[in-house]
Amino acid sequence: MRKVAIVGVGQTRCGRRDDVSFPELVHEAVKEALEDARLDIKDIEAFITGSMPAPMSGINAPHLYWADAVGAYRKPIIRVATCGTTGGSIAHTGYYHVASGLFDVVMVVGAEKMYEGDPQGVMTTIWDYRYERPFLAGAPGVFAMQAMEYIHRYNFTLEEVAEAAALLSVKHHLAALDNPYAHIKQEITVEDVLRSRIVAYPIRLLDICPISDGACAVILASEDKARKITDTPVWIKGLGYCGDEQLLADKDLVWWLSAVKAAQKAYKMAGIENPVKQIDVAEVYNPFTYQELTFYECFGFCSRGEAVKLVKEGFFNKDGQLPTDPSGGVLCTNPIGATGLQRIAEAALQVMGRAGKRQIPAVETAFAHAMGGSYSLNSVFILSRSK
Amino acid sequence: MGEEIEPRIIEGALSLPYRWATGPVGARFLEGLKNKKILGTRCPKCRRVLVPARKFCPRCFVDTDEWVEVGDKGILRTFTIINFSFVGQVRKPPYIVGIIELDGADVGFTHFIGGVDLTDIEKAARELRPGMRVQAVWREERKGDILDIEYFKPVRE
Amino acid sequence: MSGRVAIVDVAQTKHGAPYIRNLTVSDLVYIVVKELLEKTGISIEDLETIITSSSDFWQGSGCSNVFYFDAAGAYLKDSPKVEEDSALGFVYAFMRILSGHFDKALIVAVTKCSEAPSISDITSLNSDPFYQRPVGIEEVTAAGLQAQQYVSRYKLSDEIRAEIAVKNYRNAINNPYAHRRMNLTIDEVLGSEILAYPLRRLEVADGSDGAVAVLISSEEAARKLTDTPVWIRGVGWSVDHYFLGDRDLLEVVSLREASERAYKMSGIRYPRKQIDLAEVCETSTVQELLWYEGLGFCNRGEGWKLIADGVTGMYGELPVNPSGGVLATNPYVARGLIRVAEATLQLKGEAGRRQVPDAETAIAHSTHGAAGSHHTVIVLGR
Ligand SMILES: [Zn+2]
């Protein structure tokens, strides 16, 4: 099978970007990525784009709207969209473009302009119009139910879990200060989190990601090309994608089978048997603090019900056994169509050793995740310095 | 599976508010319309003048670097007469849409064509032909949007 | 590349039939996937990847694939959604097999136009909010601009345009899956009301309800699953500029690009000679002529001759749209994959009354975007 490497990444400054139009925002990330890989637009053979459901930006078929901005004139372009998982899905698509042998160098672009539309209004339409749509209030309402289920499943008290969640929030906010692309840059304390407004019980404002405008581009290349383009190719050593049922109530949201299986597939391909030992840093798609606890367990970073304890022990801190989200994660930056791809870009930068102040020392292998759909779709990448 | 039940339709509508950023190049272009100026930007590489003004050239993939005012007259490249309705339609049908090659621009400009009697569509179509000259008809009150030009009308020169 | 990839089999709904109007999008997907599994004798457990194709705006639903995820048999599988054009879903599945990661892939596409606003309502949202949307640019208006330019540049007659519609609706009579199956006269087409001058109602593809599923596999798997594999010989896809004004609507550069790529890959040098039939995505009559030109069946401005000489008629040298094409059947996002399914049935010799005799090589073409800004070309062979 053909090996595929990441050879360049580009990210825009995220936040409220009223200063640029949607295509101009996308263009920024594309230019950054080309510069990063020292490539010309002519070198890019095909483009893979994605964003949230098109109603989010109010423009249908956004790949056509972006076509000139990514430089796709007379070239292949495709749009793949799977809600929050989009950033992961387009990276998968880019991977298969190269792995198929049809292309050698492709660019994957994800973007969102969330301040231009009504994100929660759109996300509510993910749910079945007959049965679930009237009840499910955007994303926070659903994740709040997941949090309660988690607390109940393992017989925690709310306070125990809320504290672990708050610690994660503090940790990510601190990390975001080191990330020049991050949106929310604010030092906070555990007390700040626990005293912030309840948005959907038990989830508080500082447990929740922001909405952001932002774009991210990643350049993928075949082995031959990758070696010519860069001295620090980041190899896609494993990838997995999995989805579970449509209806929210059908799923086990504490032991998310789609998350478990997506990770298992990626681990198998990458030869990972002991994730904690073999993974040096993880960029987990964490729009909600409580949810991140369940992900740690589903990905085998700890055993079931153990995440609360490990968070409190600092296991996932920058100097812990498995550092997570040194970028500040989704909790601090969330242009959804780009968010999953940012996890991959950030993980790649860690492997390249070019993550600046957020660098974790000596990263050999990194983990990058995305989640979306009716909280049903999960994507996992394992990136590595060695093939 | 048991007795036949009358199929049901659940009616719904999605209505969402948007606020779209034009970007600075777009803002300057739209501001120009307020002053009855149609502005393009020139690509430093292929030298084409792009209207509406672009931040970058879609062919050369480099930033444009020069503002150029183009004429509010031009040549009609093609047209169509619309005789049906859809949601969000700005004009009541029938109306004419055309692509215009403005004087001094190197790409086409899409807008309404007016000043033509549309009581008989086919008769109206015969009054129009690609290659004919058209000229912008500006609104009295201009707000800095694309409809500051009400339409383009055929002119004899 | 790790070898040849084949289409094993296809399944489709009776598009636009009254009975599917009352079914959900999810029901339609379930019907075609079930039928395809039965036909090919594989079980859902044999599949690891299912590529879906639909549109969130068309479905009025964020993440439209989630709604029919279970119905596609995708539970705990690797199942992304390719938006807007299911022919791109097909090429993605093709790449997945080529990569060697999967030996089988199912592609399923669906749109229920009867549940959604009109094609114009939806495609006006394809236009940018600043420059093109306020002046009414949507698919039908763009097709009108393109048609008028063709008429002016090449002096195309009304009758030729009407003949394209007559041909396609008439071909559809032979296709039990087609939606609008009509025996019309040229006068009837030209007597229908003007939608976007010069185009009349019967020259513009209206929407349909429908779903389609296609199973593809590696050569090794295909040999076990079918006696009549259809080989994917070449693919190409490409996009034009976004603004209509930046394009020459008659040059169809992105179609030329896409077909060149597909032809190069499949070793086709003389398309008119080497291709036995084509299923193209004509959203208007004039587009069918433009696609002939872009696909290299004739020179620029000469598409009309193929109609006048009957070359692309059912009994011509290169029949185009024996299924009735998109004028007859247009479940929007599914229409590209329907072209693939129809071309496959032809090459398998299972096209019934619409069968083109001895078809060896066929083209499936798809397009989306105003005046055909994005094109996909797929070359299939026996
Ligand atoms: Zn240029």
Side-chain angles (χ1 to χ4, degrees), chain A residues 156-304:
Chain A
F156 288 119
T157 64
L158 172 62
E159 289 68 30
E160 284 174 290
V161 183
E163 195 200 334
L167 282 166
L168 280 178
S169 178
V170 170
K171 159 174 129 54
H172 297 326
H173 279 84
L174 199 61
L177 296 174
D178 289 337
N179 180 357
Y181 308 107
H183 177 186
I184 304 293
K185 295 192 169 198
Q186 181 187 356
E187 219 178 318
I188 55 165
T189 65
V190 169
E191 288 68 42
D192 292 336
V193 182
L194 295 176
R195 274 188 225 129
S196 63
R197 183 169 71 81
I198 288 179
V199 174
Y201 183 87
I203 290 180
R204 293 172 185 271
L205 190 62
L206 288 173
D207 287 312
I208 304 182
C209 61
I211 62 166
S212 314
D213 299 339
C216 181
V218 170
I219 301 174
L220 303 178
S222 61
E223 185 166 359
D224 279 3
K225 292 279 180 172
R227 301 238 182 252
K228 282 179 197 140
I229 294 167
T230 176
D231 297 333
T232 54
V234 175
W235 301 100
I236 296 175
K237 226 174 155 179
L239 74 174
Y241 188 95
C242 190
D244 35 7
E245 300 99 323
Q246 177 218 0
L247 293 176
L248 181 72
D250 282 0
K251 289 182 279 268
D252 182 342
L253 285 182
V254 176
W255 185 244
W256 294 25
L257 271 185
S258 58
V260 173
K261 299 244 170 196
Q264 283 172 355
K265 276 191 211 174
Y267 291 163
K268 193 177 166 204
M269 186 175 158
I272 287 182
E273 282 158 6
N274 183 338
V276 174
K277 266 211 177 119
Q278 290 174 270
I279 294 168
D280 301 308
V281 61
E283 280 284 339
V284 175
Y285 191 98
N286 59 341
F288 297 84
T289 51
Y290 288 82
Q291 184 175 64
E292 193 167 359
L293 300 168
T294 64
F295 279 133
Y296 290 169
E297 298 174 8
C298 295
F299 297 150
F301 296 172
C302 58
S303 55
R304 289 159 81 163

Side-chain angles (χ1 to χ4, degrees), chain B residues 42-48 50 56-62:
Chain B
R42 191 193 296 278
C43 169
K45 219 165 157 189
C46 68
R47 307 296 296 159
R48 292 186 309 154
L50 305 163
F56 54 89
C57 173
R59 296 222 172 140
C60 306
F61 213 63
V62 293

Side-chain angles (χ1 to χ4, degrees), chain B residues 8-156:
Chain B
R8 289 283 305 278
I9 301 296
I10 295 176
E11 293 198 358
L14 303 179
S15 166
L16 298 163
Y18 295 102
R19 38 179 307 289
W20 295 296
T22 64
V25 174
R28 183 155 165 196
F29 171 81
L30 294 169
E31 194 61 28
L33 295 180
K34 240 191 221 175
N35 306 313
K36 293 198 187 182
K37 287 185 198 306
I38 304 177
L39 299 175
T41 46
R42 191 193 296 278
C43 169
K45 219 165 157 189
C46 68
R47 307 296 296 159
R48 292 186 309 154
V49 173
L50 305 163
V51 181
R54 298 324 140 75
K55 179 179 152 45
F56 54 89
C57 173
R59 296 222 172 140
C60 306
F61 213 63
V62 293
D63 281 5
T64 57
D65 63 350
E66 184 190 341
W67 285 87
V68 181
E69 183 179 345
V70 302
D72 73 348
K73 292 181 193 156
I75 289 167
L76 186 62
R77 183 191 284 176
T78 183
F79 69 92
T80 181
I81 305 176
I82 299 308
N83 190 36
F84 69 98
S85 307
F86 58 89
V87 174
Q89 199 167 26
V90 170
R91 286 200 158 206
K92 221 175 124 210
Y95 59 87
I96 310 168
V97 178
I99 298 178
I100 302 131
E101 291 168 2
L102 293 171
D103 297 343
D106 294 297
V107 295
F109 184 72
T110 310
H111 217 291
F112 296 124
I113 306 297
V116 178
D117 177 16
L118 282 165
T119 36
D120 180 339
I121 290 175
E122 307 207 41
K123 192 160 159 268
R126 284 193 294 273
E127 284 177 42
L128 298 166
R129 56 181 171 76
M132 79 192 300
R133 299 282 294 166
V134 293
Q135 175 174 17
V137 174
W138 295 89
R139 283 188 197 276
E140 281 301 310
E141 271 189 34
R142 291 179 299 278
K143 301 180 293 188
D145 73 43
I146 196 73
L147 297 177
D148 284 353
I149 299 171
E150 201 174 340
Y151 55 81
F152 283 77
K153 66 170 185 196
V155 284
R156 270 179 203 86

